[in-house]
Amino acid sequence: MGQSATRGVDLGRRWAGMAVRPILLGAVLLALYLWVHAQTLDSIERRALDPQEIRLELWQHVQLSLVATALTIAIAVPLAVLLARPFARWIKPIGLGLGNLGQAIPSIGLIVLLALWLGIGFWTAVIGLVAYATLPILRNTIVGLDGVDPALKEAARGMGMSRLAVLRRVELPPAVPVIMAGVRTALVLTVATAAPATFIGAGGLGAGLVAGIKLNRPTLSLTFGLLAAVLALFADWVGGVAEEVMRPRGI
């Protein structure tokens, strides 16, 4: 079997493996739906588990996660490219240290501190999530760019390519898989840690989860906890699909 055929088989297996997860997640949601409908719910539980209310909180959670992830990518990738330049190597430990600081603080503590400083609301929660999820993209982009063979860059420069062209055509393509792995990690982190945003009025699935805990309604806690977990696993699946789609041919 030739190299291209082997690569095709491996790609087919990866796609087949990825197709299993949404089916399993759908089965979990179906089982959760059937279980909830088999319960005897009081007025509080019926109101919290109203389909329209769940859709609203789910949309708030998704919107919060997507905006935060998009801003994280827009900030972390250019910053990592800058830190990977030879003239900025001495700043790299400072940049990574700040990224580590964002993750060292518990997400709920970071969001509350920002709320005390900036006030409550959607954008305060977004800033907290961006600070929390910057490190994986920042670190992976630097690692991906540092992993490019210096001889390739020198050869490209010797052919008369500009620094921007070398970055775009020589450095970034082989670094894409590593960068996308960081984006995938950041996306999952954002989705998984967006629940505390409910404490500062940003909405999301955390509202139902907190209500279940405060009001001693295990049905609510289990339902919204599972919905948040399924959403995080689905985000990881989406990130995996994006990795495959954006992976340069031959890598």
Side-chain angles (χ1 to χ4, degrees):
M1 184 180 296
Q3 185 177 2
S4 59
T6 302
R7 189 179 300 118
V9 171
D10 291 340
L11 181 61
R13 287 175 179 172
R14 288 201 299 268
W15 280 109
M18 285 190 293
V20 174
R21 184 178 297 188
I23 296 173
L24 293 177
L25 294 179
V28 170
L29 290 177
L30 177 60
L32 177 62
Y33 174 83
L34 295 175
W35 178 79
V36 169
H37 276 261
Q39 305 301 306
T40 302
L41 306 176
D42 59 26
S43 59
I44 295 175
E45 291 170 331
R46 285 196 299 270
R47 186 165 56 251
L49 293 173
D50 180 75
Q52 186 174 355
E53 183 65 24
I54 292 177
R55 284 196 297 269
L56 174 61
E57 294 181 11
L58 181 62
W59 167 241
Q60 291 173 338
H61 203 102
V62 170
Q63 186 180 31
L64 186 63
S65 301
L66 290 179
V67 171
T69 302
L71 286 176
T72 305
I73 295 171
I75 293 170
V77 172
L79 180 59
V81 170
L82 176 64
L83 294 177
R85 299 303 91 193
F87 67 85
R89 291 299 174 91
W90 64 275
I91 313 177
K92 186 190 301 183
I94 300 175
L96 290 175
L98 291 175
N100 278 311
L101 180 63
Q103 280 204 329
I105 304 174
S107 58
I108 186 170
L110 181 60
I111 288 175
V112 169
L113 288 174
L114 287 172
L116 293 173
W117 179 31
L118 302 173
I120 64 174
F122 178 85
W123 288 106
T124 300
V126 167
I127 293 171
L129 292 173
V130 168
Y132 196 72
T134 295
L135 180 62
I137 301 179
L138 184 68
R139 180 178 56 207
N140 278 39
T141 303
I142 292 174
V143 169
L145 293 175
D146 285 348
V148 178
D149 189 349
L152 293 177
K153 293 184 282 188
E154 289 298 325
R157 292 288 294 165
M159 294 170 58
M161 295 175 63
S162 65
R163 294 184 184 277
L164 182 60
V166 172
L167 173 65
R168 184 172 58 87
R169 300 177 62 181
V170 178
E171 295 184 65
L172 283 177
V176 164
V178 183
I179 296 172
M180 288 306 301
V183 171
R184 181 179 182 180
T185 301
L187 176 60
V188 175
L189 275 175
T190 302
V191 172
T193 57
T198 190
F199 290 111
I200 60 170
L205 293 173
L209 183 61
V210 171
I213 296 172
K214 289 176 60 177
L215 301 175
N216 193 26
R217 298 298 196 280
T219 301
L220 298 184
S221 301
L222 179 61
T223 299
F224 284 93
L226 273 177
L227 286 175
V230 167
L231 185 60
L233 290 171
F234 181 73
D236 181 65
W237 177 79
V238 171
V241 172
E243 278 190 63
E244 290 298 331
V245 170
M246 299 189 67
R247 185 187 299 272
R249 293 183 180 181
I251 297 180

